[in-house]
Amino acid sequence: MNLREKYDIPPQTVITIAGTVGVGKSTMTKALAEALNFRTSFEKVDTNPYLDKFYEDFEKWSFHLQVYFLAERFKEQKRIFEYGGGFIQDRSIYEDTGIFAKMHYDKGTMSPTDYETYTNLFDAMVMTPYFPHPDLLVYLEGPIDAVIGRIQERGRAMEQQTPNDYWIEMHERYENWINNFNSCPVLRLDINDYDLLKNPDAIESIVSRIGHMLKQTSHLRK
């Protein structure tokens, strides 16, 4: 019996992994997909034509970056809809509008006109039949010192040159966002409570918690 069957997780479940940069979303996505025999949906970072430019000049490239992510994520939503579930998503579409775009609008690195255009696009996309809300959002959280340490260890040049104040503000915005998030059920995991790289077997306890949460919230999906 595999872990999906052991913990009675429906085969068409859609689980989204959320959390600020550096908390291990990609690692969690891969581990859960392998444990549950689900497909994965990753955001396109390495092939993103705007990401390096964005970190060099937030004001010039924030709108371009967010529209690119929105378009790519919507294509992934459509793919999930067509397959009918059984997916683990690396980052949710809700974070794009609720955190990143809003942060740049608030800070003045995205103009009011660009922000309005972006939010209108988002609203139009989420109203389509191709937009399945996830059955569960798994939120990875931890203290800001641990998050910054992971960013420094990962070694992406574009992140290394970003001031820590940016990560601190993003961390605060994520906490405010998740505390008010209600689009689907949320399971919060502290990144200090497990280490999937050193102990891959830790995924079973996480799958167990996911199965329990899905049972508790099953009435919301009927």
Side-chain angles (χ1 to χ4, degrees), residues 9-214:
I9 295 175
Q12 302 305 309
T13 301
V14 176
I15 299 171
T16 293
I17 312 300
T20 190
V21 173
V23 291
K25 293 185 298 298
S26 297
T27 299
M28 179 64 71
T29 297
K30 293 173 184 175
L32 280 177
E34 182 176 343
L36 300 174
N37 195 26
F38 280 3
R39 296 181 176 90
T40 56
S41 175
F42 287 100
E43 65 176 354
K44 295 183 178 179
V45 174
D46 294 336
T47 59
N48 189 318
Y50 298 109
L51 201 55
D52 287 338
K53 297 174 182 178
F54 163 75
Y55 277 106
E56 293 172 359
D57 190 335
F58 291 161
E59 186 170 357
K60 184 175 181 180
W61 296 105
S62 63
F63 177 72
H64 302 75
L65 179 73
Q66 290 307 131
V67 169
Y68 176 87
F69 273 133
L70 187 62
E72 291 299 316
R73 228 177 292 284
F74 181 72
K75 286 192 287 187
E76 285 298 291
Q77 293 291 142
K78 185 173 181 292
R79 183 167 74 98
I80 291 170
F81 174 84
E82 290 169 347
Y83 275 112
F87 270 87
I88 309 295
Q89 290 180 294
D90 176 15
R91 182 169 279 157
S92 72
I93 197 169
Y94 309 106
E95 292 158 85
D96 286 324
T97 184
I99 297 172
F100 293 95
K102 189 174 188 306
M103 180 170 71
H104 287 288
Y105 169 69
D106 290 344
K107 293 173 71 67
T109 50
M110 183 182 292
S111 73
T113 300
D114 284 347
Y115 183 68
E116 182 179 5
T117 298
Y118 174 83
T119 53
N120 285 341
L121 279 171
F122 175 83
D123 290 343
M125 288 179 176
V126 299
M127 293 302 291
T128 71
Y130 300 118
F131 190 84
H133 293 279
D135 299 296
L136 181 68
L137 184 143
V138 175
Y139 180 70
L140 308 183
E141 60 187 349
I144 184 59
D145 291 345
V147 172
I148 290 177
R150 289 186 176 206
I151 291 172
Q152 292 171 345
E153 288 176 9
R154 187 160 65 183
R156 286 179 180 163
M158 57 192 174
E159 294 173 354
Q160 299 292 319
Q161 64 191 21
T162 302
N164 283 349
D165 287 348
Y166 179 82
W167 305 124
I168 293 169
E169 180 175 357
M170 185 182 294
H171 186 269
E172 292 174 352
R173 284 179 177 267
Y174 258 97
E175 287 301 299
N176 291 333
W177 170 77
I178 197 62
N179 288 334
N180 294 284
F181 180 81
N182 58 10
S183 295
C184 71
V186 175
L187 173 64
R188 299 174 76 137
L189 299 178
D190 191 318
I191 60 175
N192 290 322
D193 290 343
Y194 62 88
D195 189 333
L196 293 176
L197 296 179
K198 293 181 180 178
N199 180 23
D201 291 340
I203 196 64
E204 180 165 358
S205 65
I206 295 171
V207 171
S208 173
R209 293 183 63 183
I210 288 172
H212 180 68
M213 178 66 77
L214 288 171

